[in-house]
Amino acid sequence: MVCTVVAGAFWGDEGKGKIVSYLALKDKVNVCVRTGSVNAAHTVYFDGTYYALHMVPATFIYDRCRLFIGSGANIDVSQFLKEVERTRVKGRIWVDKQASIIEQHHSAKDRKDSHLISLGTTGRGVGPAIQERASRSAKLARDIPELQGFLTDVAEEVNRAIDENLYVILEGTQGLMLSLYHGSYPYVTSRDTSAAAICSEAGVGPSRVDKVLVVYKCFITRVGSGNLPGELSKEEAIRRGWFETAAGTGRERRSAPFDFNLAKRVAKIHGATEAAVTKLDILYPECKNTSSFDQLTQNAKNFVVKIEETVGIPVTIIGTGPGALDVIDRRV
Ligand code: IMP
Ligand code: MG
């Protein structure tokens, strides 16, 4: 059994939700800790239903997985309660008592502060809530009556699960290029998004992690401000089938071709041991719903091999369609 960190490569929206939901079903993941906050949406598509999850871990579709939100996370209480209801996970989801709380005034500030507006924030209040946390005056989950039935010590729970040799996923949000420390500052989010930071938010030390799975998408997308090397015009993005709108905010995503050198750099900082590549069917439509690597076209195979050769790690999971089970799984 393993403790795996799942981390995004670029500016988020690589398809971490899909990869995590696949692992949940396929590997019967016992425990998942989600980090980050409501600015990120993880999309899960299963049994004909789409979920855009801002709080609940994407492993929820495996109904025996225990779900946690780590102490480093920021909780939007009404969004959390709404998602718990929709996903019917009450009784198997817990929140760390020291996770901090996003309040109305945080999102109001996110939407009217001219500096934050210039960064193109999601407006969900995460940056202002983290500012308050850093100034040691934030409300924590333990202070909120509606959360009393969900509280636990997540670090204790997840470390016990690792001691018991259970299968644990630490679910990162966003991507390394949005990291406060390693990304395209100032056009970044308000926290570090590296694999090490994902561990820190969950309360898991680096020696306890077995695998770091970096998730790449076959092309790069970005919402908000900041430079995007190789950016295409909207017309060209539409022509290539790369044009997307954000699951969380509905905003249009900018897009650019895959950047192999950037892929190498982010894998290094994450300490990635393997990679997932999503949306291969968008780049190579003949690959749609393929579940065997051998059946890919030569161009598609070459693309995957070039990632492995440039980055120096194996591409173990490849997305070939939107559903949680639409993958090529090359592990063993
Ligand atoms: P904030 O995290 O809402 O403060 O936004 C800061 C920057 O990060 C903006 O460019 C956002 O568009 C971007 N961002 C934050 N979360 C996500 C995400 O989950 N996916 C993609 N971009 C994000
Ligand atoms: Mg997203």
Side-chain angles (χ1 to χ4, degrees):
M1 286 297 160
V2 286
C3 176
T4 299
V5 180
V6 178
F10 300 126
W11 284 272
D13 307 314
E14 298 93 359
K16 291 175 292 297
K18 180 231 168 68
I19 297 299
V20 168
S21 61
Y22 169 71
L23 292 173
L25 293 171
K26 171 74 181 164
D27 296 358
K28 301 192 180 352
V29 170
N30 302 108
V31 165
C32 182
V33 186
R34 174 157 166 159
T35 57
S37 192
V38 281
N39 41 6
H42 285 185
T43 302
V44 171
Y45 180 49
F46 184 60
D47 259 357
T49 308
Y50 271 104
Y51 301 87
L53 302 164
H54 295 266
M55 291 261 85
V56 168
T59 56
F60 87 91
I61 54 170
Y62 173 53
D63 62 9
R64 300 186 60 184
C65 186
R66 288 189 294 139
L67 313 170
F68 295 96
I69 298 181
S71 61
N74 286 273
I75 313 279
D76 178 320
V77 178
S78 66
Q79 181 73 28
F80 171 76
L81 295 172
K82 200 164 75 187
E83 286 184 20
V84 166
E85 180 127 319
R86 166 130 204 260
T87 55
R88 300 200 189 93
V89 292
K90 187 139 201 236
R92 63 182 177 104
I93 188 165
W94 294 272
V95 172
D96 191 274
K97 41 193 186 337
Q98 293 224 137
S100 59
I101 299 298
I102 300 179
E103 299 176 271
Q104 288 276 301
H105 67 95
H106 296 130
S107 29
K109 182 173 178 197
D110 220 357
R111 288 192 302 259
K112 66 170 194 270
D113 180 296
S114 60
H115 174 61
L116 294 174
I117 290 170
S118 77
L119 303 179
T121 76
T122 60
R124 303 294 297 244
V126 182
I130 289 180
Q131 277 176 22
E132 199 171 278
R133 189 172 194 171
S135 69
R136 271 64 50 84
S137 52
K139 281 197 183 117
L140 300 182
R142 66 185 181 216
D143 305 321
I144 307 297
E146 297 98 301
L147 293 181
Q148 293 304 310
F150 295 97
L151 298 183
T152 194
D153 179 335
V154 171
E156 200 58 54
E157 297 273 1
V158 64
N159 279 288
R160 187 182 320 127
I162 295 170
D163 289 340
E164 290 170 355
N165 269 322
L166 298 179
Y167 191 132
V168 174
I169 285 187
L170 308 183
E171 180 181 353
T173 44
Q174 306 158 321
L176 194 83
M177 294 310 293
L178 286 173
S179 163
L180 182 63
Y181 302 157
H182 306 290
S184 49
Y185 192 92
Y187 301 104
V188 294
T189 192
S190 43
R191 53 187 276 276
D192 182 17
T193 54
S194 68
I198 295 165
C199 296
S200 160
E201 284 191 22
V204 172
S207 64
R208 312 219 71 194
V209 170
D210 303 287
K211 293 182 178 175
V212 176
L213 177 69
V214 61
V215 182
Y216 299 115
K217 182 161 65 181
C218 282
F219 50 96
I220 297 180
T221 55
R222 174 167 205 178
V223 283
S225 321
N227 184 37
L228 177 59
E231 181 167 2
L232 304 179
S233 66
K234 181 175 169 181
E235 295 66 40
E236 180 59 16
I238 292 171
R239 198 186 66 74
R240 296 189 187 192
W242 297 1
F243 181 71
E244 300 179 346
T245 51
T249 56
R251 289 187 293 176
E252 295 185 354
R253 291 184 184 150
R254 302 149 62 198
S255 61
F258 194 87
D259 182 331
F260 291 89
N261 291 324
L262 193 59
K264 182 173 182 179
R265 175 177 160 77
V266 306
K268 186 187 305 175
I269 295 173
H270 278 318
T273 57
E274 57 191 282
V277 174
T278 62
K279 296 207 172 183
L280 192 67
D281 56 304
I282 304 293
L283 211 52
Y284 303 104
E286 27 347 314
C287 300
K288 188 150 180 76
N289 296 329
T290 305
S291 58
S292 141
F293 189 77
D294 294 338
Q295 283 166 19
L296 293 178
T297 59
Q298 197 57 47
N299 284 344
K301 285 182 188 163
N302 291 348
F303 178 78
V304 172
V305 170
K306 187 169 173 190
I307 294 175
E308 293 184 318
E309 287 178 354
T310 317
V311 179
I313 54 175
V315 171
T316 51
I317 300 174
I318 300 170
T320 57
L325 298 173
D326 297 334
V327 300
I328 298 170
D329 189 342
R330 301 169 79 208
R331 300 172 301 166
V332 191

